[in-house]
Amino acid sequence: MRRPLAVTALVALLLGPTAVTPAGPASADPGQRALAMAADAYWTAERMAAALPAAAGRRAAEATGDAVDGVPGAPTVPTAPAAPVPPSKPFDGVPQVGTFFWTDGQGQGRFCGGTVVRSPYHDLVVSAAHCLRRPDPKKQLSFVPQYHDGLKPHGVFPVEAIYIDQRYYDLGTDGGARWDYTVVRLGDRQDGTAVERATGGFDIAFHPGYRHADVRLIGYPGSSDAKYPKPLDCRSSTRRYTSTDPKAPGDFLEIPCAGYVGGTSGGPFLVRGVRGYTLIGVIGGYHTGGDTPDISYSSYFTEDLLDLYLDAVHGEPPAG
């Protein structure tokens, strides 16, 4: 059996201690600080609470018959699960997991989850590609770690670059479902602090295997009775799911957890590792995360994600 490989060890082997050229520190750049200050000022508690899930979310679209990527959806009736589904509960979150916020081409606030991962320059977040693939202007695109109850406990970090596999752009959310992940490089917050230095980060596991008995799933739901929403927390097990949809081929991680409605895309699948939690997936992949709120999916992490990670570390031009 192939053992999961953590990203920190891989980077050390592939790059060596001096082989990486930084993408450029933002802490000494007054323009970058001004950008971070403007993002922090824009994303007030009210604007964050009014944001809607990223438009590509299939759960909400198929439930209402709305279009997904321009294709009209058909209303669906969720199938009852074969076994009891572990419940989720709202909580105050963890520092390494947060939310991307932006405004789309119509000025509507949008959001999607993301997770800070360990990297040489402490500035990388992993999320779902379907959240950030669309070519909208995405104004005020920023990351807010541990967002909850309208709070920004670790500040706001503007986005510098988005790394998505070219095949995902070319094939779309269904045909490219196997590559529904993205690595995002962030600028520093307004005091010059990089995101990982503010929050800590998790390792990434490549080829982590499909069966895990204890997985923690965190996601930010798009509907809540509370004025200011909280993230959801659930513990469950994962298995391998091979798609039966010829339009969305591939093998995916599958996890049962109740209540993961639209908006939870990009949220992490976490397992315990040597240095705390390790990221093994993000909500996305098969049907951009699943057709019902009680079963979620992730694309399988392979060397293709490692390539995106290394491009982000080196500051290479993203695909598009």
Side-chain angles (χ1 to χ4, degrees), residues 88-95 97-99 111 113 144-151 216-224 226 228-234 259-260 263-264 267-268:
S88 62
K89 63 179 187 294
F91 77 130
D92 288 345
V94 297
V97 180
T99 309
F111 73 91
V144 181
Q146 202 178 358
Y147 166 67
H148 68 92
D149 298 302
L151 302 176
R216 189 176 188 185
L217 188 68
I218 298 174
Y220 282 83
S223 61
S224 172
Y228 299 120
K230 290 177 178 284
L232 297 177
D233 193 15
C234 174
Y260 281 72
T264 53

Side-chain angles (χ1 to χ4, degrees), residues 11-244:
V11 170
L13 288 171
L14 294 172
L15 300 179
T18 61
V20 182
T21 301
S27 59
D29 183 351
Q32 182 67 281
R33 288 195 179 191
L35 183 63
M37 187 178 299
D40 192 24
Y42 183 83
W43 288 113
T44 62
E46 289 72 23
R47 281 185 171 133
M48 291 188 292
L52 300 177
R58 183 178 293 268
R59 299 167 198 261
E62 291 205 346
T64 62
D66 293 340
V68 177
D69 282 348
V71 179
T76 61
V77 178
T79 302
V85 176
S88 62
K89 63 179 187 294
F91 77 130
D92 288 345
V94 297
Q96 298 88 345
V97 180
T99 309
F100 287 99
F101 288 102
W102 67 93
T103 60
D104 63 19
Q106 288 71 50
Q108 172 63 56
R110 297 285 182 178
F111 73 91
C112 190
T115 303
V116 181
V117 295
R118 293 188 174 99
S119 63
Y121 300 102
H122 315 293
D123 57 357
L124 300 185
V125 173
V126 172
S127 183
H130 73 264
C131 293
L132 302 174
R133 168 180 174 266
R134 290 176 180 270
D136 295 331
K138 289 188 171 55
K139 297 179 180 179
Q140 308 292 342
L141 179 54
S142 309
F143 183 70
V144 181
Q146 202 178 358
Y147 166 67
H148 68 92
D149 298 302
L151 302 176
K152 302 175 284 188
H154 307 284
V156 178
F157 298 81
V159 169
E160 288 190 341
I162 300 168
Y163 293 85
I164 294 173
D165 194 291
Q166 185 65 56
R167 288 164 290 191
Y168 195 76
Y169 283 119
D170 295 341
L171 297 172
T173 54
D174 275 345
R178 286 169 289 183
W179 299 282
D180 190 3
Y181 39 63
T182 177
V183 179
V184 181
R185 192 176 71 238
L186 304 180
D188 295 348
R189 69 185 181 194
Q190 57 184 296
D191 66 354
T193 301
V195 65
E196 188 188 336
R197 294 200 182 281
T199 66
F202 299 140
D203 287 334
I204 310 173
F206 301 96
H207 294 282
Y210 291 91
R211 289 193 174 274
H212 299 270
D214 184 13
V215 178
R216 189 176 188 185
L217 188 68
I218 298 174
Y220 282 83
S223 61
S224 172
D225 294 333
K227 179 179 180 181
Y228 299 120
K230 290 177 178 284
L232 297 177
D233 193 15
C234 174
R235 302 188 84 99
S236 188
S237 59
T238 58
R239 72 179 187 98
R240 184 175 191 159
Y241 175 75
T242 300
S243 172
T244 58

Side-chain angles (χ1 to χ4, degrees), residues 215-310:
V215 178
R216 189 176 188 185
L217 188 68
I218 298 174
Y220 282 83
S223 61
S224 172
D225 294 333
K227 179 179 180 181
Y228 299 120
K230 290 177 178 284
L232 297 177
D233 193 15
C234 174
R235 302 188 84 99
S236 188
S237 59
T238 58
R239 72 179 187 98
R240 184 175 191 159
Y241 175 75
T242 300
S243 172
T244 58
D245 182 353
K247 295 181 179 179
D251 294 315
F252 304 91
L253 287 174
E254 180 185 271
I255 186 170
C257 270
Y260 281 72
V261 296
T264 53
S265 290
F269 290 54
L270 301 171
V271 297
R272 284 288 185 184
V274 175
R275 302 191 297 171
Y277 281 114
T278 295
L279 181 68
I280 64 167
V282 293
I283 297 176
Y286 177 72
H287 289 184
T288 62
D291 296 327
T292 74
D294 292 346
I295 304 293
S296 298
Y297 298 90
S298 171
S299 301
Y300 192 63
F301 285 2
T302 67
E303 290 84 358
D304 294 331
L305 177 58
L306 176 60
D307 288 341
L308 298 178
Y309 176 94
L310 294 176

